Amino acid sequence: MAKNRNKNKKNGRAAMDVSSDKTVTGPQEMDTSESAAPKPHIGGSHRKMKGVQMKRSKNVRKMKAIAKAISKNEKLEERVTRNESKIERTQHAKKLYE
């Protein structure tokens, strides 16, 4: 971009025409007119938030699924150890009476 700007200066072309026919003699009034705000589409502003919430809810579902799988694994391990200890106790009791 800098190269093009320098070329324009050499050729005598200005980037923007600043010549104007109006001359300002006094202070100008400030434009206080309110521009009409565009009406939001129905649910337009909620869509962006919904996308983020969907991402969050997807992550939450993933985390819940992982936590559920871990707890299920732990429960299974606990059951196995209980069954093993139960078998050991019954076998030990049988040996005592034999």
Side-chain angles (χ1 to χ4, degrees):
M1 282 176 71
K3 289 181 181 179
N4 291 337
R5 196 174 0 166
N6 293 337
K7 285 181 184 177
N8 287 342
K9 286 182 183 178
K10 286 181 183 177
N11 294 335
R13 288 184 291 169
M16 187 172 83
D17 187 19
V18 291
S19 62
S20 63
D21 296 335
K22 294 182 180 180
T23 56
V24 179
T25 56
Q28 295 179 344
E29 292 184 26
M30 183 187 294
D31 183 21
T32 57
S33 62
E34 293 183 21
S35 60
K39 293 182 180 180
H41 297 288
I42 298 173
S45 63
H46 295 293
R47 283 189 180 181
K48 290 180 185 176
M49 291 300 291
K50 195 170 188 179
V52 172
Q53 287 175 354
M54 283 174 59
K55 251 187 193 176
R56 281 190 199 143
S57 65
K58 186 178 180 182
N59 288 338
V60 168
R61 275 184 274 147
K62 275 186 183 179
M63 295 300 288
K64 280 185 179 179
I66 291 169
K68 191 176 182 181
I70 290 171
S71 67
K72 212 173 195 180
N73 241 359
E74 289 174 352
K75 283 181 183 178
L76 286 174
E77 288 174 4
E78 194 175 325
R79 250 188 238 157
V80 168
T81 55
R82 265 192 272 146
N83 286 339
E84 286 175 356
S85 65
K86 195 176 191 179
I87 291 169
E88 284 179 23
R89 279 184 285 145
T90 54
Q91 285 177 353
H92 186 64
K94 283 181 183 177
K95 283 182 184 176
L96 285 174
Y97 291 109
E98 287 179 358

